[in-house]
Amino acid sequence: MTEPIIAVEHVSKRVPDTGGELTILDDIHFSLAAQESAAIVGASGSGKSTLLSIIAGLDTPSEGKV
């Protein structure tokens, strides 16, 4: 198997909320090798942009690593 160019390992993102804590991402894990492609789809507010921001290094996960 080829070495992944992106590896997302057990990434979670939680933020403070008026009711305590809001979980945006919960235990996301996947990897992509060179020449593979993937689509990130979901409803509005489901965490797509947050996941991409974490992968790009613009945000930090509460748990896990990229």
Side-chain angles (χ1 to χ4, degrees):
M1 179 172 256
T2 62
E3 188 72 23
I5 58 171
I6 296 174
V8 175
E9 300 176 356
H10 303 286
V11 167
S12 295
K13 181 68 176 182
R14 295 177 187 83
V15 294
D17 190 21
T18 56
E21 192 173 64
L22 176 65
T23 300
I24 299 172
L25 300 171
D26 187 30
D27 196 29
I28 305 296
H29 48 93
F30 66 92
S31 62
L32 289 174
Q35 299 182 351
E36 283 187 319
S37 62
I40 300 173
V41 297
S44 177
S46 63
K48 301 177 301 290
S49 295
T50 300
L51 177 59
L52 291 174
S53 292
I54 290 171
I55 292 171
L58 302 174
D59 198 358
T60 57
S62 302
E63 296 174 11
K65 66 179 185 173
V66 175

